[in-house]
Amino acid sequence: MPRTEHLVGTRALLLAAARDEFAAHGMGGARVGRIAEQAGVSKERIYGYFGSKEKLFAAVISEALTEHATLLGPPSADLAEYAGRIYDLHRRNPQLLRLMMWEALYYDGGLPNEQPRTARYRGMVATLSEALGSQTETEPGSESDTEAASTLLALIGLAILPTAFPQITRLILGTTADAPGGDDDDELRAHIVRLARRMVAPSSDALT
């Protein structure tokens, strides 16, 4: 195997092993030795590729978010169904939510790779602003951008809460959504889509 392909393959193995480890134990509880063992390499390889456990954690988050964005796609004209897509994606890929929650617990303030991540969300806000029928030729911080940003945050929150906090879902609904595609899961998804549709509807429509 050419050296370049070997390096790429080893890095991919390390990222896959690290994703499992960090999702299960977080930044503080993850162990470099377990990651190396699962990947089938020495601990020194991890430091050679990434420099530190924290940088490896940042690389895992970055890769997971890129995969997430590719699978989800941009906001669509049907924003309620977009909330349903967010719900589906996280129900099928709960590991990303765990990583994001561990990240929130670990970092107090700035995040690694914050600028490109902010730029990605700004792109989503711009697409959402267009979908809402707002002006697209606006400066950041304008009223339409603020509305779209707040709407995006609300749609994400509505869609991910049942997966992020299954105990709250159980305590409130008396049941936990079953596997994706099950009856309880389908019913909860449909309700989220209905709520999202009411949330993004013009005020006059929402009252009817």
Side-chain angles (χ1 to χ4, degrees):
M1 178 185 295
R3 177 174 171 78
T4 300
E5 292 183 14
H6 177 72
L7 292 176
V8 171
T10 301
R11 188 178 190 277
L13 287 173
L14 285 170
L15 284 171
R19 186 183 296 197
D20 290 340
E21 180 74 8
F22 285 127
H25 304 287
M27 176 61 194
R31 294 292 178 263
V32 171
R34 287 198 296 255
I35 295 171
E37 182 179 359
Q38 185 175 339
V41 301
S42 66
K43 291 170 60 174
E44 288 71 21
R45 284 289 186 92
I46 293 178
Y47 296 109
Y49 276 95
F50 300 99
S52 67
K53 186 172 76 167
E54 184 168 334
K55 289 181 180 178
L56 174 59
F57 183 54
V60 166
I61 294 288
S62 178
E63 181 189 60
L65 288 173
T66 297
E67 290 180 8
H68 173 273
T70 300
L71 290 170
L72 180 62
S76 59
D78 188 344
L79 297 178
E81 185 55 35
Y82 180 67
R85 283 163 47 199
I86 297 173
Y87 176 81
D88 290 339
L89 182 59
H90 284 288
R91 290 286 293 144
R92 295 181 181 126
N93 301 276
Q95 193 179 62
L96 175 62
L97 270 181
R98 291 184 62 84
L99 289 169
M100 297 293 287
M101 293 168 77
W102 283 120
E103 181 187 54
L105 288 171
Y106 181 73
Y107 290 104
D108 181 15
L111 300 171
N113 304 315
E114 182 158 338
Q115 288 186 342
R117 288 172 65 175
T118 299
R120 179 181 295 169
Y121 279 116
R122 284 178 178 168
M124 294 174 67
V125 168
T127 302
L128 183 59
S129 179
E130 184 176 2
L132 287 169
S134 303
Q135 294 291 328
T136 57
E137 299 295 330
T138 52
E139 295 295 326
S142 67
E143 183 176 351
S144 60
D145 284 343
T146 301
E147 179 184 357
S150 297
T151 300
L152 177 62
L153 184 62
L155 287 172
I156 292 172
L158 179 65
I160 71 172
L161 190 143
T163 304
F165 300 101
Q167 76 277 28
I168 296 178
T169 302
R170 179 179 59 81
L171 291 170
I172 293 176
L173 299 182
T175 182
T176 300
D178 52 17
D183 291 341
D184 289 341
D185 183 61
D186 288 345
E187 183 177 348
L188 183 55
R189 183 196 190 278
H191 190 63
I192 286 172
V193 170
R194 286 194 299 270
L195 286 176
R197 199 171 303 284
R198 290 164 61 184
M199 184 177 71
V200 300
S203 57
S204 58
D205 295 342
L207 295 175
T208 59

